[in-house]
Amino acid sequence: MKLVDTHCHLDNEKFDLDREIIIDEIEKNLEFIVNIGYDLKSSERSVELANKYSFIYATVGIHPIDITDYNEELEGKIEELAQDKKVVAIGEIGLDYHWMTTPKEFQIECFRKQIELAKRVDKPVVIHTRDAMEDTVNILKEYPEITGVLHCYPGSYDTAKLLIDRFYLGIGGVLTFKNSKKTVEVVKNIPLERMVIETDSPYLTPEPNRGKRNEPLYVEYVARKIAEIKGIEYEEVVKVTTENAKKLYKIEA
Ligand SMILES: [Zn+2]
């Protein structure tokens, strides 16, 4: 069994010069990847990529930083894209109180609307949350039927305990950073069965490559760090997190 990159942005322009080479490496070395949409264009590009390659899946949704022009028409287009068989989740959606491109109230409204959309199409959600954990947890409590992943999980172990009955925690390159105490604590104490591995490439590059462009194959650095922290075999991390990724996104293969 091989690893999965559960969250990446391969359609990003940083891959324009060598995307085919990267995709070739993914086919050889990973089980599959999930390319994540964050606005209408990237959602369309994700669906396009997923329809071209069997080992690429897509998500569609509007990121809290990109909801400035969120309206019914845009939501309709996302819902239409969401019908595609290769679309495995709605996301990334959520709350970002760090950049605050729109007021909290509007972010919450768009988050709720996209959770409702996920309910209608019966797919899980990929959540982005930054400096907004309390509101995120409270909103998710209102939708007990919704499942998904908190991507690049930024919260504490105590908060994680409230979420892991229905949500996976996305663990990425941040785990390998020097100041990753909080994430190390989460990885140490949360069962491996509730974690999935991601890169968020081209962003958040793990050590030892920090500062360079991130790539899906770098999930290996994250998996090795998880094995080290939990004191278990690397192969077990591969097996369990890949099974988790399939369960999260309801992928049979
Ligand atoms: Zn992302």
Side-chain angles (χ1 to χ4, degrees):
M1 205 177 264
K2 298 169 193 161
L3 284 167
V4 172
D5 186 355
T6 60
H7 189 120
C8 64
H9 304 279
L10 213 59
D11 59 292
N12 187 284
E13 60 188 18
K14 292 210 167 81
F15 292 110
D16 279 354
L17 292 177
D18 61 351
R19 187 171 294 106
E20 296 300 320
I21 297 167
I22 298 279
I23 289 176
D24 213 43
E25 285 175 356
I26 291 167
E27 183 174 21
K28 289 190 186 110
N29 296 290
L30 299 181
E31 203 79 20
F32 60 87
I33 63 159
V34 182
N35 201 77
I36 307 288
Y38 55 85
D39 62 7
L40 180 60
K41 282 233 158 65
S42 65
S43 296
E44 285 169 347
R45 288 196 300 260
S46 291
V47 174
E48 229 170 87
L49 267 175
N51 278 298
K52 212 168 152 193
Y53 302 96
S54 61
F55 48 90
I56 300 182
Y57 294 85
T59 74
V60 297
I62 314 290
H63 190 289
I65 294 178
D66 298 290
I67 53 171
T68 330
D69 54 359
Y70 195 96
N71 57 30
E72 252 175 58
E73 193 195 339
L74 178 60
E75 188 178 295
K77 286 179 182 163
I78 291 293
E79 187 155 356
E80 214 170 286
L81 285 170
Q83 312 294 333
D84 192 284
K85 258 191 230 142
K86 293 294 294 284
V87 171
V88 291
I90 301 303
E92 44 190 299
I93 60 175
L95 303 173
D96 195 313
Y97 295 170
H98 178 78
W99 293 109
M100 277 286 200
T101 54
T102 57
K104 284 184 186 183
E105 295 69 29
F106 187 66
Q107 292 195 36
I108 290 172
E109 190 189 328
C110 295
F111 187 25
R112 282 213 174 91
K113 281 186 173 158
Q114 293 188 91
I115 294 174
E116 293 289 345
L117 194 164
K119 266 170 71 177
R120 287 197 296 279
V121 297
D122 192 26
K123 289 181 183 182
V125 291
V126 175
I127 294 164
H128 168 101
T129 176
R130 188 163 181 194
D131 298 345
M133 193 50 92
E134 202 183 329
D135 282 357
T136 303
V137 171
N138 286 334
I139 290 168
L140 292 176
K141 263 192 224 154
E142 295 171 27
Y143 302 92
E145 65 279 60
I146 282 286
T147 61
V149 57
L150 279 96
H151 126 75
C152 192
Y153 178 71
S156 65
Y157 169 56
D158 281 331
T159 307
K161 283 191 284 189
L162 304 173
L163 293 160
I164 53 167
D165 58 330
R166 286 189 287 133
F167 293 92
Y168 288 94
L169 307 181
I171 307 295
V174 170
L175 183 66
T176 68
F177 297 171
K178 278 207 174 70
N179 55 352
S180 65
K181 240 173 137 183
K182 206 160 76 172
T183 314
V184 169
E185 171 90 2
V186 167
V187 166
K188 199 179 276 173
N189 293 297
I190 292 294
L192 189 59
E193 283 69 23
R194 300 312 299 163
M195 289 173 209
V196 290
I197 298 179
E198 63 172 58
T199 61
D200 205 17
S201 52
Y203 316 107
L204 293 174
T205 313
E207 296 289 0
N209 293 335
R210 202 172 176 183
K212 295 188 203 150
R213 179 186 71 175
N214 200 359
E215 296 173 14
L217 260 61
Y218 294 171
V219 281
E220 182 177 339
Y221 297 116
V222 181
R224 291 207 181 277
K225 191 77 195 179
I226 292 176
E228 182 195 313
I229 291 166
K230 290 186 98 63
I232 56 179
E233 293 292 324
Y234 169 72
E235 286 70 26
E236 192 186 346
V237 175
V238 175
K239 181 176 168 283
V240 175
T241 58
T242 291
E243 280 167 3
N244 295 345
K246 288 180 182 176
K247 282 182 207 157
L248 158 63
Y249 290 124
K250 298 174 186 151
I251 290 169
E252 310 267 313

